[in-house]
Amino acid sequence: GPFNKTFRDLLITNYFISDLNAKSIPVTKNLSVTSMLADEATTGQWNLQGLPTDDLSIQNGILTTSASRYPIMVDPQGQGLSWIKNKEAENGC
């Protein structure tokens, strides 16, 4: 994704959750985007395929696998490329 962890956390806490509270919409305390959008089995499989275990990498994995279009990956360390290759190896890619 294009945003770092600090900015994503800011968006969730200062904008998303604040907006929900202002509109009196119930929201889970300590909301975790990753656990809401992907289960542990899926993220565990991704980790076995080479995706790092940090929250930002998991969020990027969610965005990559859920995107309606092909995602553009800026991957200077090569971790995303390695993960995609391992993930798609069973499909002959």
Side-chain angles (χ1 to χ4, degrees):
F3 305 124
N4 64 21
K5 179 164 177 28
T6 305
F7 188 68
R8 288 181 189 183
D9 289 343
L10 178 78
L11 287 175
I12 290 171
T13 56
N14 288 5
Y15 293 97
F16 182 64
I17 292 178
S18 295
D19 191 43
L20 293 175
N21 288 333
K23 295 177 180 176
S24 300
I25 298 171
V27 62
T28 303
K29 290 184 190 257
N30 302 321
L31 177 67
S32 169
V33 174
T34 55
S35 59
M36 183 176 68
L37 297 176
D39 58 32
E40 289 184 24
T42 301
T43 58
Q45 184 66 31
W46 293 346
N47 297 145
L48 290 173
Q49 293 166 337
L51 187 69
T53 59
D54 62 282
D55 204 39
L56 186 64
S57 295
I58 299 298
Q59 288 178 11
N60 288 340
I62 292 167
L63 291 170
T64 300
T65 58
S66 302
S68 60
R69 296 180 178 208
Y70 296 104
I72 295 174
M73 295 176 64
V74 177
D75 186 26
Q77 295 177 330
Q79 294 173 322
L81 177 62
S82 175
W83 170 62
I84 292 291
K85 284 182 175 180
N86 290 333
K87 181 173 178 14
E88 296 300 323
E90 62 193 34
N91 295 326
C93 297

